Amino acid sequence: QVYKGLDIITNKVSPQEQRLCRHHMISFVDPLVSNYTVVDFRDKAVALISFHAAAYIFARDKIPIVVGGTNYYIESLLWKVLINTKDKASVAPGPVTDRKVQLEQLDGVELHRRLSQVDPEMAAKLHPHDKRKMARSLQVFEETGIPHSEILHQQQEEEGGGPLGGPLKYPHSCILWLHADQAALDQRLEQRVDDMLAAGLLEELRDFHRRYNQEKVAENRQDYQHGIFQSIGFKEFHEYLISEGNCSPETSALLLQKGIQALKQVTKRYARRQNKWVRNRFLRRPGPNVPPVYGLEVSDLLRWEEDVLKPALEIVESFIQGREPPAEPVKMEYDGNENKRSHHMCELCNRLIIGDREWAAHTRSKSHLHHLKKRRKLEAASHAAETEGGSGGTETPGEGSSQQL
């Protein structure tokens, strides 16, 4: 939502709603900027929250409400977990000069080899296919001269730090987690896509494609991995947008339906990842530096007042007044014996799995169970063939020839 444009598909708050309450961090980055990062977001947001000038939120005796969304960005505001490298060039439209993006062009094997030479500890933790994280670790080393793992250790050892990062930036924080039954959530997300279409989504996509992406596609340099172009929904309509007017109406209609269904599927998948992130980073985070998380059930919108608004107001009022809220926070699920960096090689699936929890999930996955079932069938068939071949017409001692071993 920091980028200008694509207001419908990124679900930006309406101008009417913005007039009810002051909003920040919306529609201020040029869409052609592709090197805007979570560090840029963090730096601007922290400055807005600051005490240091009369216009800032704390200085006006107000409380910032951080609305998700993208939980990785929320985490960057709550904890000291990001690393500042050397001063970046100004964020402006034009060719990407970000060193991390350049490193991502390398082969994963080469990235892992380079990282192993300068930071073997980090190389051992990262999956060899995770090019983004390996590139980031290499960038940190190149631009600071210090191994990424060493900087992370320094953060963790600060007062209030823990195994997953540095201390809280704002110790007096609380998290309101709105969650819903999966079936209700899926239905609501599908309806949201239909509402987007009714609100003019296709016109927005066509206009944005014509102004910002058509020339890139023509020159085969479109990039759906960085900047606003990685937004959910834009790349799903790529085939429809580039073929519109160049194919039959029937083909165009089929590509449109394909895009709509892809948007619904990826939206539901993203919502699942968001909930998984909350559980892993907010509910299973070890150490003392975790704000209380209060769960609010939003499955039944007819009960919004009773289940969401009223308890949320009570929690926030208690939080402001420094007393215990009437609601109980969600219980932390942290397992002290869990190893998040353990390596497991699945010979069946030919995959490296990092982390105890991920390994447990993998062994229950459909793909792994399919391979396991397939191997057991092969073993059973092989055993049967060996048994039949080994019988060789021999007879059980003292029995008739009809009964073979």
Side-chain angles (χ1 to χ4, degrees), residues 365-385:
S365 68
K366 288 182 180 179
S367 172
H368 178 81
L369 293 175
H370 169 75
H371 284 100
L372 185 61
K373 185 177 180 181
K374 188 176 178 181
R375 187 178 73 174
R376 285 174 176 167
K377 279 186 177 180
L378 288 172
E379 288 176 347
S382 175
H383 179 69

Side-chain angles (χ1 to χ4, degrees), residues 133-184:
K133 288 185 179 178
M134 289 191 293
R136 174 57 178 163
S137 290
L138 277 171
Q139 180 197 22
V140 169
F141 177 77
E142 289 181 4
E143 296 181 357
T144 66
I146 305 171
H148 192 179
S149 58
E150 185 177 328
I151 297 176
L152 294 179
H153 284 312
Q154 291 171 2
Q155 287 183 348
Q156 293 164 3
E157 290 167 4
E158 289 184 34
E159 185 177 354
L164 292 183
L168 280 168
K169 289 193 186 74
Y170 312 104
H172 304 293
S173 307
C174 74
I175 297 172
L176 303 178
W177 178 29
L178 278 63
H179 57 88
D181 173 76
Q182 194 63 58

Side-chain angles (χ1 to χ4, degrees), residues 278-402:
V278 170
R279 291 189 177 94
N280 287 342
R281 302 299 278 177
F282 297 158
L283 298 180
R284 294 171 180 152
R285 191 184 185 104
N289 57 346
V290 186
V293 178
Y294 297 93
L296 299 170
E297 174 64 52
V298 296
S299 296
D300 186 355
L301 292 181
L302 296 177
R303 291 186 53 83
W304 177 266
E305 298 278 339
E306 305 97 307
D307 293 348
V308 184
L309 183 58
K310 184 181 177 183
L313 288 173
E314 289 175 345
I315 291 166
V316 172
E317 285 173 358
S318 302
F319 162 70
I320 292 171
Q321 295 166 7
R323 54 183 174 83
E324 286 294 318
E328 286 289 324
V330 181
K331 187 177 180 182
M332 295 291 169
E333 306 171 14
Y334 173 61
D335 180 359
N337 297 319
E338 179 187 346
N339 185 348
K340 293 181 178 293
R341 296 300 183 185
S342 59
H343 285 226
H344 306 269
M345 186 64 200
C346 181
E347 303 293 345
L348 273 177
C349 307
N350 193 28
R351 284 185 59 191
L352 173 64
I353 310 296
I354 296 180
D356 291 349
R357 189 183 303 276
E358 288 73 14
W359 174 247
H362 174 74
T363 57
R364 296 192 300 267
S365 68
K366 288 182 180 179
S367 172
H368 178 81
L369 293 175
H370 169 75
H371 284 100
L372 185 61
K373 185 177 180 181
K374 188 176 178 181
R375 187 178 73 174
R376 285 174 176 167
K377 279 186 177 180
L378 288 172
E379 288 176 347
S382 175
H383 179 69
E386 288 175 2
T387 303
E388 290 175 5
S391 64
T394 57
E395 298 179 3
T396 307
E399 297 291 338
S401 62
S402 63

Side-chain angles (χ1 to χ4, degrees), residues 77-101:
L77 293 184
L78 285 177
W79 285 280
K80 185 178 178 181
V81 290
L82 298 180
I83 296 170
N84 291 326
T85 56
K86 69 180 182 182
D87 292 338
K88 292 178 56 176
S90 61
V91 176
V96 172
T97 57
D98 192 308
R99 178 58 177 155
K100 175 174 173 286
V101 175

Side-chain angles (χ1 to χ4, degrees), residues 51-249:
F51 288 100
H52 301 308
Y56 298 156
I57 297 172
F58 280 155
R60 290 184 287 112
D61 201 26
K62 301 292 184 182
I63 295 175
I65 304 172
V66 184
V67 184
T70 308
N71 296 317
Y72 180 50
Y73 281 61
I74 296 175
E75 185 180 358
S76 77
L77 293 184
L78 285 177
W79 285 280
K80 185 178 178 181
V81 290
L82 298 180
I83 296 170
N84 291 326
T85 56
K86 69 180 182 182
D87 292 338
K88 292 178 56 176
S90 61
V91 176
V96 172
T97 57
D98 192 308
R99 178 58 177 155
K100 175 174 173 286
V101 175
Q102 293 175 342
L103 287 166
E104 285 176 18
Q105 308 308 311
L106 296 173
D107 178 75
V109 174
E110 174 62 15
L111 279 174
H112 198 265
R113 185 189 68 79
R114 292 190 186 189
L115 186 59
S116 298
Q117 291 177 339
V118 299
D119 192 348
E121 181 181 343
M122 187 58 70
K125 291 178 179 179
L126 296 180
H127 198 289
H129 294 165
D130 197 338
K131 292 176 66 174
R132 283 196 172 194
K133 288 185 179 178
M134 289 191 293
R136 174 57 178 163
S137 290
L138 277 171
Q139 180 197 22
V140 169
F141 177 77
E142 289 181 4
E143 296 181 357
T144 66
I146 305 171
H148 192 179
S149 58
E150 185 177 328
I151 297 176
L152 294 179
H153 284 312
Q154 291 171 2
Q155 287 183 348
Q156 293 164 3
E157 290 167 4
E158 289 184 34
E159 185 177 354
L164 292 183
L168 280 168
K169 289 193 186 74
Y170 312 104
H172 304 293
S173 307
C174 74
I175 297 172
L176 303 178
W177 178 29
L178 278 63
H179 57 88
D181 173 76
Q182 194 63 58
L185 180 59
D186 286 347
Q187 184 179 12
R188 200 172 300 162
L189 292 172
E190 293 214 5
Q191 183 60 50
R192 188 173 80 176
V193 173
D194 294 336
D195 293 342
M196 288 177 179
L197 291 163
L201 174 62
L202 294 182
E203 289 75 13
E204 177 182 86
L205 290 173
R206 289 190 193 102
D207 178 64
F208 194 86
H209 176 67
R210 185 175 60 253
R211 286 193 291 151
Y212 297 109
N213 204 43
Q214 196 167 39
E215 186 179 336
K216 289 186 173 187
V217 172
E219 297 174 2
N220 196 30
R221 58 183 180 89
Q222 72 271 15
D223 180 6
Y224 294 124
Q225 300 300 317
H226 299 93
I228 194 172
F229 299 99
Q230 65 183 319
S231 300
I232 287 179
F234 190 72
K235 56 185 174 293
E236 280 70 29
F237 288 93
H238 174 80
E239 287 186 81
Y240 171 71
L241 292 169
I242 63 173
S243 64
E244 194 176 25
N246 300 316
C247 62
S248 67

